[in-house]
Amino acid sequence: MFDHLPELLWHALEDTLPLLPWILLIYLLIELLESKADLSQINRFGNKMGPLIGSATGLIPQCGFSVMAAKLFEQKYITVGTLLAIFMATSDEAFIIMLSSGEGAVWVLPMLGVKIAVGVAVGYAVDLFMRAIGRGQVCVEMPSAYDETPKTTHEIFIRSYLAEKDVDVKCACGRSHAGDSVWKKYILFPLWHTLQVALFIFLVNFTLIAIIHEVGETTFQNFMHTNRFLQPLLTCAIGLIPNCASSVVITESFLAGGITFGSCVAGLCANAGMGFVVLLKNTRQWKRNLTLIGTSYAISVAVGLLLNLFV
């Protein structure tokens, strides 16, 4: 392989570079959405429409949305079903990569459909189960003090649900939004995030190309087809990693033919970003947190196995 290392690196670079302008464009649009979208009626997450609205909103690849959902849950503004609906629908960088990859864009709508269906079904089923065992949660109303402050995703994230004294609050992407200038918001940060994702894509492309080069394309495809029912176990474990790299690995592996559609969906359903990290910070609720993680993993694996069986 080392004799062909320059060639393999070049092929990986060729597959990555065309994606850069599209990824950057999508991140610019997301930044506009985060800054302008009015979410002041967020109390709707707490009523019977919570899992449905949560699933639909979770599909939007907004920075830190799963983190915000975790904080809302901790403060009893949303039910456990709505929380899991948002987590299941969240896909981090997946849709961005699919949309920017050209051929992969055809999988966006099927992925959207499956993700929202899983989110809604899981959300309502969990809430129904909790009520059946007498553990149903009654959501509290948001304090009126919030009425005049947060409206956009950025405002809600920074000024309300993550506000802590003497703490430099940062979003799930690792940066603080408060006080950002226009050129930072709409040029520097989207560009930086694009380069980060591109690096992950390059590394995944290089790894897959190197493996296929060593074992042969036919052998590789036969191996993946034979192990299609074990794939969801692995992709869901990767999906639980709280980093955008996990969604990049899963999505790129699918687009390169390394895993099936069902295995990709399973991994992305388990990919709640930094949401679980926020929950785990509450060490007093460690049993609840482990139950939520285990439930998400089990449901995601089941979704992957069903899709692999019928798709």
Side-chain angles (χ1 to χ4, degrees):
M1 183 184 76
F2 292 104
D3 294 336
H4 298 88
L5 185 59
E7 180 184 351
L8 298 178
L9 289 170
W10 176 248
H11 283 317
L13 190 61
E14 280 186 319
D15 290 341
T16 305
L17 286 178
L19 305 181
L20 289 179
W22 297 105
I23 295 175
L24 178 59
L25 176 62
I26 294 171
Y27 272 124
L28 288 172
L29 294 175
I30 290 173
E31 194 65 45
L32 285 169
L33 180 63
E34 287 185 339
S35 300
K36 304 300 181 182
D38 188 344
L39 297 178
S40 57
Q41 299 301 317
I42 201 164
N43 270 332
R44 294 174 183 174
F45 285 113
N47 61 28
K48 294 181 180 179
M49 297 292 288
L52 177 61
I53 298 174
S55 297
T57 312
L59 292 175
I60 303 172
Q62 290 191 9
C63 178
F65 194 83
S66 64
V67 178
M68 189 179 74
K71 295 299 291 187
L72 289 171
F73 173 70
E74 287 281 17
Q75 296 175 13
K76 302 186 185 303
Y77 293 140
I78 62 175
T79 65
V80 62
T82 299
L83 175 73
L84 289 177
I86 294 172
F87 280 4
M88 290 286 165
T90 301
S91 298
D92 216 349
E93 319 294 338
F95 295 139
I96 296 173
I97 296 172
M98 287 182 177
L99 287 171
S100 60
S101 65
E103 294 180 359
V106 301
W107 292 101
V108 171
L109 287 180
M111 185 74 72
L112 285 170
V114 172
K115 293 275 283 181
I116 195 170
V118 170
V120 171
V122 169
Y124 282 112
V126 168
D127 279 347
L128 183 63
F129 173 76
M130 296 298 287
R131 286 196 296 270
I133 63 173
R135 299 289 297 274
Q137 178 180 319
V138 177
C139 296
V140 299
E141 286 293 324
M142 198 167 300
S144 58
Y146 289 152
D147 291 345
E148 298 179 0
T149 43
K151 290 186 177 181
T152 68
T153 302
H154 285 177
E155 292 172 348
I156 291 172
F157 190 88
I158 295 298
R159 294 200 284 169
S160 297
Y161 311 113
L162 292 184
E164 298 178 13
K165 293 182 179 179
D166 302 322
V167 174
D168 181 19
V169 181
K170 292 187 177 181
C171 189
C173 64
R175 62 180 173 86
S176 174
H177 294 286
D180 287 345
S181 61
V182 173
W183 80 273
K184 281 186 177 181
K185 268 188 180 181
Y186 301 117
I187 298 177
L188 180 61
F189 288 132
L191 180 60
W192 175 242
H193 210 163
T194 297
L195 293 176
Q196 285 181 311
V197 172
L199 176 61
F200 290 134
I201 293 174
F202 171 77
L203 293 175
V204 173
N205 282 339
F206 172 73
T207 303
L208 291 173
I209 290 172
I211 292 173
I212 293 172
H213 179 268
E214 286 297 305
V215 304
E217 186 173 354
T218 302
T219 303
F220 177 75
Q221 290 178 347
N222 289 338
F223 174 79
M224 298 309 297
H225 180 75
T226 303
N227 294 277
R228 63 186 305 193
F229 293 107
L230 295 177
Q231 289 177 18
L233 297 172
L234 177 60
T235 57
C236 288
I238 295 173
L240 290 177
I241 299 173
N243 191 296
C244 67
S246 56
S247 63
V248 174
V249 169
I250 293 168
T251 309
E252 278 295 307
S253 298
F254 166 64
L255 295 177
I259 60 175
T260 63
F261 176 72
S263 301
C264 180
V265 171
L268 294 177
C269 282
N271 185 235
M274 296 292 289
F276 284 128
V277 174
V278 173
L279 294 178
L280 289 170
K281 287 182 178 180
N282 185 351
T283 55
R284 291 176 298 178
Q285 295 285 350
W286 65 272
K287 290 183 179 180
R288 179 207 66 182
N289 297 336
L290 291 180
T291 300
L292 287 171
I293 294 173
T295 300
S296 296
Y297 181 83
I299 292 173
S300 300
V301 170
V303 169
L305 291 174
L306 286 173
L307 288 173
N308 283 348
L309 183 63
F310 294 107
V311 178

